[in-house]
Amino acid sequence: MMQQLLLYPLLWQLFMSIALMFAWQHINIQRVMSIVGSAIGLVFSGMLFYKVLVYGTQTIQAGGWEAPFGITFVADTLSATLVLLTSIAGLAVSSFSSASIIPARLRFGYFAIFHFLLLGLIGAFLTGDIFNLYVWFEIIIISSFVLITLGGEKAQIEGAVKYFTLNILASIIFLTAIAVLYGLAGSLNMADLAVLIPKIENRGLVKVAAILFLIGFGIKSAVFPLYFWLPASYHTPPSAVAAIFGGLLTKVGVYALIRVFTLIFVGDVLLDEILIVIAVLTLFSGGIGALVQKNMRKVFSYLIICHIGFMIAGLGMFTELAIAGAIFYLIHDIVVKTNLFMISGIIYRIKGSNNIKSLGGLYKEYPKLSLLMTIPFFSLIGIPPLSGFWPKISLIVSSFNTQNYLVLGAVIFASFLTLIVMAKLWSEVFWKNPVDLPKREHFLYFNKMTTTRKLQMLLPIVFLTGVSLYIGFGAESIQQLSTRIAGELMNSQQYIEAVMPKS
């Protein structure tokens, strides 16, 4: 029975998606079901995380077929951590959605699709088969495309076209890479591939497959120069949708890069150097892009790109300390980016605009709320001792140890750019005198909401702020977790033996 626990977070999201369809026209019931269901999903994810921490990597073979012939699900420490973070973000966004998404969108199955997206995310983290990773990516793309177009506004459709086009291109490249890999090794089980790929004599073709995976996952991760779809689309849907996108969608691409380049394609110096160059350019381009934006959500979109560079840099340096820094940053970034987009949603409900030049006076009008918002802002910058500070220490020390001074300079430069961007944002939105904006008809402003609805928007932000504070002030435990994950990734034999004990 305990072995089946690995599938509980996955199957629960599938059950929620189906159950919510039966309440299609009853949006109040859907709201309650989604919040309660997300809370139960968090419990299942917490149980799985605890089991992996105590007993080590868990596996299950679908249909009883032994690896590498069947469909394998694997929960190592990295997978279990990301499933837990997905459930945490899912619960927060579920509550925020119930208050911020208008009824017209809810009536078109918003919550059912939302939980279907969570299903795809959890499936991608738990699969042990490279082809099934592609399948889960397709579920994510389909679900996110529906969410980004729900409402049918012109900006949404335009953003969705860019989003869908580039992600479908990434999927085609990914599928091509899978075909090349299968032709080389005759297997798609990731543990089996980790054994077979080093034995293949045609290293040139192996390198071609690795480059194809790098391009496919690079588009999904929004790394330089493949990131243009992200800032063109993430500011268009409702803030609740942008929150789950900003917190988790690009991180699936980062997870895939980490998994593939620490398990299957290992020890290629050229690939590591390419990853480092990509990371540096991503840090620069994302930070500079954020500096010139006028729309708050576009600022956050470019900062997603910028901060992906920290994670790719850790992977490129490929030391245990560097990968631990990348994992720590991944944990921090999921929580903070989800929170920032929800904060932008509250500001939008207060002011009726996301244009920075049209805002102002928020600290004067809502001092307590403004102080709450400073915590994720400062966490994003990396003000010590908050969550964004500690992983940068690992990356900086690792860049010294490996003499990657270009990475060192890029990490420091991107950190200062983030500081400048957030200081500018704080000055414009919170401190300057308020701008008199014409009141919009048929728009539900924050001060006109019921107390219950306000709490549904505020409590998720308080919840994720609390998680951020724990990551920062409990940095020792998060660093230990990240170091354990990095150790498992650097020693792939543990993963292989868990999936295929006879190998």
Side-chain angles (χ1 to χ4, degrees), residues 43 56 106 129 152 189 201 224 235 257 284 354 362 386 408 435 475:
V43 172
L106 295 182
D129 182 283
N189 183 285
E201 294 181 5
F224 181 91
H235 69 288
L257 283 171
F284 274 82
N354 270 317
L362 200 64
L386 298 176
L408 174 64
V435 177

Side-chain angles (χ1 to χ4, degrees), residues 318-337:
F318 206 74
T319 65
E320 188 169 318
L321 180 62
I323 291 177
I327 298 300
F328 197 135
Y329 206 94
L330 178 63
I331 294 168
H332 143 81
D333 203 63
I334 288 172
V335 176
V336 169
K337 289 298 193 311

